[in-house]
Structure formats: structure tokens, C-alpha cells
Amino acid sequence: MAPKSDSTEGIVLNFVNEQNKPLNTQNVADSLQKFNLKKGAIQKALDTLADSGRISFKEYGKQKIYIARQDQFDIPNNEELDLMKKENANFQEKLSEQKKAISELEGEIKVLQSNLTLEEIRLKEAKLRNEVEEMEKKLIKLREGVTLVSPEERKAVEGIYTEALNQWRRRKRMFRDIWEAITENSPKDLKEFKEELGIEYDEDVGVSLQSFSTLVQQGRKRGRGQ
């Protein structure tokens, strides 16, 4: 009489047949922990099933190895094996196609998720329109000759600019004093000596302190005229 499927013997028999590979008691006990079966009960069930001929076993020293009876399974012949291999290859190909399709769909979903919603587009459009209007207003003022820089801002910039010119002027004076002290009794040609040291005057690089100073005066006159 076959054991009930929910009995310990039934659970063990079903597991051994499903695995269809050599198993020892510990293998079975580890795999059937979800059924809360004790190792002793599993050992008893395995022995009972082996004694009744429902499973096969072999002894290796003190250990018993259990395996499902092979005569209960339909063993395919070579033609059936070839057919199964072809079917498996077809299934693998279909699986690969499905994975590729899923990957493409996931890519499309990511692209769609990265796009702005209609509400976000409207908000961005409104913001850009406001920025355009502000820029157009500034452009109109510039075309009309309206000064967009406040007197305070102009004064601050002029102060920074003037201080930079004063630093420039002081450094020129310091260099001139040092240069004259060094070259006063030097027998060398001053031009060659300057080139040897890698020294460049303002005019050597096309700049003039006077021209920059003039800009300040012109700016002040223009400011008074406005």
C-alpha cells in the first residue's frame, strides 16, 4: 500500500523521486526542514521505503545512499532524446527573444520616464516666456540708451579699477627705481641685459598705463553727461 502523500514516508518518497539522484539522510533532512521533520523520523522513513522496495539504496561502510527506483521512469531512446534537444533549443531561442523584447521595453519605459510630463512642459514654457520678456525689456532699454548700471555699481567698479591702476603705477615706479640702481654702473648693453633677464616693458606687450587711465576719465565724463 502506497504511503499517504502528507505522511513522513509520503513526503520523503516524493522528494527522493523528484530529485532522482543519490542522497544520504542528511541531504534529505536539510531539504525537508520546511516540513519540520526530525532527522530520526526521516531515517526511519528512508529505511522503510527501502525495505518495501519503493526506493533503492546502497551501503558504503556505515553510510546508506538512497536513490529513486529507475524502473518507474520512462527512459527516452536516442530519437526521443534528439527531439527533446531540438525542443529545448527552440525554447532557449524563444526565451532569448523574450528577454530581448523585455530589455527593449524596459529601455522605452526609462526613456518615457525621463521625459517631462505635460504639466512640467507647461511650467517650463511659462518660465522661459517670462525670461524672454525680461530680456526683451532689457534689450529695449539698451536700444534707447538707458543705463542699466546703477550709480552705486558704477562707483564700486570705478573704485576697483582705479585701485588696480594705482597698484600698476606703484609697481612701475618700484621697478624703475630698482632697475636704475642695478644698471647705473653696469657695462652691459641695457637692451641685451633686459632680454637676458626676460624683462618686458608695457610697450613691449602693447599696453599703456596712460591709455587705461584715460578710460576712467572718459567714463566719468560720460556718466556726468547722462
Side-chain angles (χ1 to χ4, degrees):
M1 183 177 179
K4 293 182 179 181
S5 60
D6 59 349
S7 66
T8 302
E9 290 181 18
I11 293 171
V12 172
L13 176 61
N14 184 56
F15 175 75
V16 173
N17 285 336
E18 285 182 348
Q19 296 299 306
N20 192 22
K21 65 181 182 180
L23 300 164
N24 60 29
T25 305
Q26 191 62 53
N27 298 145
V28 180
D30 291 341
S31 299
L32 297 181
Q33 287 182 1
K34 61 182 179 181
F35 294 101
N36 296 320
L37 299 177
K38 294 182 179 180
K39 185 177 179 180
I42 290 175
Q43 180 66 68
K44 183 179 178 181
L46 288 167
D47 290 337
T48 300
L49 292 168
D51 292 340
S52 64
R54 294 190 177 278
I55 62 175
S56 302
F57 77 97
K58 286 187 178 182
E59 291 188 68
Y60 296 91
K62 295 182 180 180
Q63 189 176 41
K64 288 183 178 180
I65 300 297
Y66 303 90
I67 191 169
R69 287 185 55 169
Q70 299 303 298
D71 56 4
Q72 66 178 313
F73 301 114
D74 293 330
I75 301 175
N77 56 35
N78 290 336
E79 291 181 359
E80 290 173 331
L81 284 173
D82 290 339
L83 180 61
M84 291 171 66
K85 288 180 180 178
K86 289 180 181 179
E87 290 178 347
N88 182 59
N90 290 333
F91 285 136
Q92 291 296 329
E93 185 177 350
K94 290 180 180 179
L95 178 62
S96 178
E97 292 175 354
Q98 290 293 326
K99 287 182 178 179
K100 183 179 179 181
I102 291 172
S103 178
E104 291 176 353
L105 286 174
E106 289 176 344
E108 292 179 4
I109 290 172
K110 287 182 180 180
V111 171
L112 291 173
Q113 288 176 338
S114 64
N115 291 336
L116 297 176
T117 64
L118 181 59
E119 182 64 24
E120 289 172 336
I121 291 173
R122 288 173 176 169
L123 290 173
K124 190 169 184 178
E125 181 188 14
K127 181 181 177 181
L128 290 173
R129 287 184 180 276
N130 289 334
E131 291 178 358
V132 170
E133 288 179 3
E134 290 298 321
M135 293 175 70
E136 287 179 344
K137 289 178 182 178
K138 289 182 179 180
L139 182 59
I140 291 172
K141 289 181 179 179
L142 288 172
R143 285 172 176 169
E144 292 175 349
V146 176
T147 303
L148 300 180
V149 179
S150 66
E152 293 78 10
E153 291 174 326
R154 178 189 290 274
K155 186 175 181 180
V157 172
E158 285 181 351
I160 295 172
Y161 188 82
T162 300
E163 177 59 25
L165 290 178
N166 291 336
Q167 289 286 347
W168 187 354
R169 190 175 290 106
R170 281 194 291 270
R171 290 174 185 274
K172 279 179 67 70
R173 189 182 308 113
M174 290 169 59
F175 170 77
R176 186 173 60 252
D177 293 342
I178 294 171
W179 181 251
E180 288 177 353
I182 293 173
T183 60
E184 183 176 3
N185 298 314
S186 175
K188 288 188 176 183
D189 180 90
L190 295 184
K191 183 177 180 181
E192 292 180 358
F193 189 36
K194 184 184 73 169
E195 291 177 354
E196 181 181 338
L197 296 175
I199 295 173
E200 291 180 329
Y201 292 164
D202 291 344
E203 54 267 22
D204 293 333
V205 291
V207 296
S208 168
L209 175 61
Q210 183 58 41
S211 63
F212 280 91
S213 300
T214 304
L215 288 176
V216 177
Q217 298 172 0
Q218 293 175 347
R220 287 172 179 170
K221 289 180 180 179
R222 190 182 301 114
R224 288 193 295 270
Q226 292 174 348

